[in-house]
Amino acid sequence: MKKIIATASMLFMCNLIVVAQKIEKEGPKGFDQERTAIAHGKIDTISYDSKTVGTTRKALVYTTPGFSKSNKYPVLYLLHGIGGDEKEWLKGGSPQVILDNLYAEGKIKPMIVVMPNGRAIKDDRATGNIMAPDKVQGFTTFERDLLDDLIPFIEKTYPTLTDRENRAIAGLSMGGGQSLNFGLGNLDKFAWVGGFSSAPNTKLPEVLVPNPEEAKKQLKLLWISCGDADGLLNFSKRTHDYLLQNNVPHVYYLEPGGHDFKVWKNGLYMLSQFLFKPVDVSSLNKYTILDNTSKVE
Ligand code: FER
């Protein structure tokens, strides 16, 4: 009997090692190339009335292949950067290609991905001086537009699962800062939060996560990634340092690269595979490509 147990536990250990070795750390060649032989999801443009802004606003909505109104889906809100709008991900990141490919390989859960315009002002186009204070302010105001206008619209228009564990928020740069601010600031609404190359709009760590114990309890996954040559790296790093000091599990994923879509596409590739699945908290520090060991001061 002892022998059987010993053999069984050996096999189990070997299995663990094999599983550990199989962790995929970045998108493989072709992860963002369209494959014709697979099923493709669909992208809709939707318009919703925003009480916050007082206008009708647009967003893009991606649904995975096989989407059916008789199912209910979790939702990822995927946000753009300071120079973009609801089409930025589509133009620069081909998220529908990345997600179709992952879906065809059985690597992501079926989900709805909403790409809003995160500049919540009347003229929300990315024209003129995109750094103008009123335009930048729109990225803060978007919290109310998202929570009070867009999410209710999506949830009454699409077959969605509407509890916090089925709602994720992630974004790039300004949208990364928004995702961290809005996600961590509304843990009753979001259990999955991701910031790619988060911008200076990211709140100070103590403001972002004033109650680390609560965050630890509520979060399914907190993802922070950045290119190592990105001038904005410090906004991710200071957040990571604080989370580390306060024992809030998270992924701190550093990869070679700057402030661009190579990094953000890879971020979407990596993050989307975690979403809406059980998470092994103990393995979260194994995903980074580069050394990200921060010293706790
Ligand atoms: C800034 C530098 C960068 C800033 C915003 C950004 C509001 C955003 C960059 C992006 O979204 O790509 O000083 O201030």
Side-chain angles (χ1 to χ4, degrees):
M1 188 59 188
K2 263 193 186 150
K3 223 175 177 178
I4 295 174
I5 292 172
T7 314
S9 45
M10 269 292 287
L11 282 173
F12 181 65
M13 292 302 287
C14 290
N15 208 17
L16 276 186
I17 291 163
V18 170
V19 169
Q21 281 173 343
K22 268 198 197 149
I23 285 181
E24 193 176 34
K25 292 189 167 194
E26 62 185 319
K29 198 167 178 302
F31 79 98
D32 56 350
Q33 299 302 309
E34 190 168 338
R35 297 173 201 164
T36 46
I38 63 167
H40 299 288
K42 189 165 153 289
I43 292 181
D44 303 328
T45 301
I46 57 102
S47 296
Y48 63 102
D49 288 327
S50 167
K51 292 189 296 296
T52 305
V53 183
T55 53
T56 300
R57 311 196 68 232
K58 286 198 160 67
L60 302 186
V61 179
Y62 165 85
T63 48
T64 39
F67 173 79
S68 156
K69 290 236 159 183
S70 52
N71 291 335
K72 284 195 183 295
Y73 298 90
V75 184
L76 163 65
Y77 292 85
L78 184 63
L79 312 182
H80 62 81
I82 200 160
D85 57 19
E86 71 279 6
K87 295 193 186 122
E88 185 181 22
W89 269 99
L90 194 65
K91 288 182 191 158
S94 44
Q96 80 289 17
V97 174
I98 295 170
L99 297 168
D100 282 350
N101 291 346
L102 282 168
Y103 190 75
E105 292 179 23
K107 288 180 170 173
I108 54 166
K109 291 272 278 195
M111 65 180 90
I112 293 173
V113 181
V114 179
M115 289 166 272
N117 182 318
R119 188 182 297 98
I121 54 176
K122 287 204 160 62
D123 179 359
D124 61 10
R125 292 171 304 159
T127 50
N129 177 11
I130 53 167
M131 289 284 190
D134 61 321
K135 296 205 178 177
V136 173
Q137 174 57 37
F139 283 85
T140 306
T141 309
F142 182 64
E143 179 169 10
R144 296 296 3 136
D145 180 85
L146 173 67
L147 296 176
D148 302 339
D149 305 313
L150 179 58
I151 291 178
F153 176 85
I154 293 295
E155 295 184 353
K156 76 170 194 282
T157 311
Y158 285 86
T160 50
L161 294 163
T162 58
D163 57 310
R164 58 182 295 285
E165 298 202 358
N166 284 296
R167 202 179 291 121
I169 185 164
L172 71 88
S173 199
M174 265 321 249
Q178 286 178 309
S179 298
L180 298 179
N181 294 346
F182 306 164
L184 296 170
N186 296 279
L187 288 169
D188 59 325
K189 301 283 192 322
F190 301 97
W192 309 82
V193 178
F196 311 140
S197 319
S198 299
N201 61 331
T202 308
K203 291 180 180 170
L204 285 169
E206 316 79 67
V207 182
L208 206 51
V209 186
N211 186 344
E213 274 310 308
E214 183 64 11
K216 195 170 168 170
K217 207 164 77 199
Q218 298 269 49
L219 283 167
K220 288 280 176 196
L221 183 74
L222 174 52
W223 170 278
I224 293 170
S225 60
C226 201
D228 65 341
D230 191 325
L232 301 181
L233 176 58
N234 186 50
F235 299 99
S236 295
K237 185 176 180 305
R238 75 177 186 195
T239 312
H240 159 66
D241 288 344
Y242 174 88
L243 295 168
L244 192 66
Q245 274 172 352
N246 289 281
N247 299 313
V248 181
H250 63 287
V251 175
Y252 182 50
Y253 179 98
L254 282 186
E255 63 177 283
H259 197 71
D260 59 41
F261 261 110
K262 178 182 157 288
V263 168
W264 304 327
K265 284 159 88 168
N266 192 43
L268 177 65
Y269 176 87
M270 292 298 297
L271 172 66
S272 62
Q273 295 181 70
F274 282 94
L275 295 180
F276 315 120
K277 297 175 182 173
V279 174
D280 173 11
V281 171
S282 69
S283 73
L284 294 184
N285 61 357
K286 301 200 177 102
Y287 286 89
T288 191
I289 304 183
L290 300 173
D291 179 24
N292 65 7
T293 45
S294 288
K295 303 281 170 288
V296 178
E297 272 124 315

